[in-house]
Amino acid sequence: MRCPGAGREGHAVGGGQAQRAYIGSFTQGGGPGIVTAAFDAATGALSVLGVTDAVPDPSYLALSPDGATLYAVNETPDGAVAAFRTAGEAVRPVGAPVPVRGAAPTHLAVHGGLVHTANYGSGSVTSVAVAADGSLAALPAGVLEHKGSGPDPERQEGPHAHQVLPDPSGRWVLSVDLGTDSVRVCTPGPTGLIPRHEVALRPGTGPRHLAFHPGGRVAYVLNELTPTLTVCSWDPADGTLKALTEPPVLPAEPDGDAYPSEVVVAPDGRFLWTATRGVDVVSVFALDGEGTGARLTASVPCGGAWPRDLAIDPSGRFLYAANERSGDVTWFTLDTGTGLPRRAGAIDVPAASCVVFG
């Protein structure tokens, strides 16, 4: 196994302003846990500062609004969520992990004084209260159980919540469910989420992750069971999500299952990128002025194998792919005119699963 940050082209930190990135990984797959990396804002390069292996399978991470606390799911059968202080070269645990009363949490979001986890295995969303110092309450405040199924008997035998995130207005929290082919629109309450609408998408698509256009009126749902992107209108006044179009994320039909994984949108709203694990590519979409028109323009290698996550740095100049099976995080410079990613470097992180920026 390679050590995190082992020598690869382009990995050294240059002379730009040093910031932070945090990388999650699957410890059961040989990952190191949570990696803290220096981020060079001038070159996009990452360089490992420290590693924490305090919890198993911290596959997805989220920062508190002030950046002082990092939260991590433990994607295990008896799932949990944990809090960490970000000061220092490696994050430090704050209290014990909190059981989420759900199985295999895959995603989390910090919103309204709560940390919400999407529990894939049990098809639920758990909410845990956050104290003023960023630490977590010892027990969940509430659990929202999803119900339903889809036409795929193996992947959609029941609900599988895969993502939970607030909308740009902060009035709503959405949960994306691969098992029920739907997105649940909720209002945040003091102890958890209150369901308001369940939006049905095309049966069998298996929605996995959603991202909003920066204008706040369009949402993009990436589907895992079919390699497509569902473009939706979004009305933040009443929380209405409506499917408009469903373009493919690949230029041709794949030979087998494609397993799309993540969708991210440029801060200026001109481009969108998706990752597809089965063919190890990043696809580029050009967006029109309103964001409702999404045109596939290119598909490029992800720089590794099985890109589980994509992330954009705060400036919107660099794109990052967490390649789980090749055990690395690759980064790309983004062409400002075309959105085309150009590979710039990589660092070794076995079983890498996500990247977030502080």
Side-chain angles (χ1 to χ4, degrees):
M1 178 192 305
R2 297 189 301 265
C3 295
R8 300 284 290 279
E9 72 278 15
H11 84 280
V13 172
Q17 180 183 2
Q19 299 177 14
R20 293 290 176 91
Y22 303 93
I23 304 167
S25 68
F26 286 98
T27 56
Q28 293 187 45
I34 300 172
V35 174
T36 302
F39 160 61
D40 190 319
T43 66
L46 300 179
S47 182
V48 173
L49 296 174
V51 176
T52 299
D53 61 358
V55 297
D57 292 340
S59 65
Y60 207 88
L61 313 173
L63 280 162
S64 62
D66 64 4
T69 309
L70 182 76
Y71 301 98
V73 298
N74 303 165
E75 192 175 334
T76 57
D78 54 348
V81 61
F84 298 84
R85 292 282 183 260
T86 58
E89 293 193 342
V91 297
R92 296 175 291 105
V94 181
V98 178
V100 297
R101 296 178 182 166
T106 56
H107 193 269
L108 79 170
V110 185
H111 181 69
L114 297 166
V115 171
H116 307 286
T117 68
N119 309 317
Y120 179 86
S122 54
S124 59
V125 175
T126 299
S127 302
V128 180
V130 178
D133 65 354
S135 62
L136 293 169
L139 295 172
V143 179
L144 172 63
E145 302 285 352
H146 288 190
K147 298 185 183 300
S149 60
D152 188 320
E154 295 184 359
R155 299 292 309 278
Q156 296 183 308
E157 81 295 343
H160 291 297
H162 212 301
Q163 184 195 37
V164 58
L165 78 165
D167 85 309
S169 76
R171 296 182 58 193
W172 308 93
V173 176
L174 288 73
S175 61
V176 182
D177 196 301
L178 183 150
T180 62
D181 290 318
S182 62
V183 177
R184 287 166 176 81
V185 180
C186 306
T187 51
T191 61
L193 301 182
I194 303 167
R196 298 303 185 192
H197 316 291
E198 182 175 358
V199 181
L201 300 180
R202 187 168 65 85
T205 52
R208 177 184 172 95
H209 276 197
L210 181 154
F212 285 97
H213 186 274
R217 307 284 300 191
V218 181
Y220 309 93
V221 182
L222 183 65
N223 302 306
E224 179 171 338
L225 302 187
T226 60
T228 60
L229 180 77
T230 304
V231 181
C232 304
S233 63
W234 169 250
D235 187 343
D238 58 9
T240 302
L241 186 75
K242 181 180 179 181
L244 301 175
T245 61
E246 191 184 326
V249 299
L250 300 173
E253 282 290 329
D255 293 334
D257 292 333
Y259 301 107
S261 58
E262 185 60 292
V263 53
V264 293
V265 184
D268 63 7
R270 296 174 59 216
F271 300 103
L272 173 152
W273 299 269
T274 64
T276 303
R277 291 166 292 178
V279 290
D280 296 330
V281 299
V282 174
S283 296
V284 185
F285 285 80
L287 303 177
D288 65 11
E290 294 182 351
T292 53
R295 179 172 56 90
L296 178 64
T297 61
S299 183
V300 302
C302 69
W306 209 253
R308 187 178 181 88
D309 186 48
L310 292 178
I312 301 178
D313 82 294
S315 75
R317 297 170 56 209
F318 305 104
L319 180 71
Y320 298 77
N323 300 313
E324 181 183 350
R325 293 186 178 175
S326 56
D328 49 24
V329 174
T330 53
W331 61 88
F332 305 79
T333 57
L334 294 170
D335 187 287
T336 57
T338 65
L340 190 69
R342 301 184 188 280
R343 190 179 187 277
I347 56 170
D348 296 331
V349 180
S353 56
C354 84
V355 181
V356 299
F357 286 90

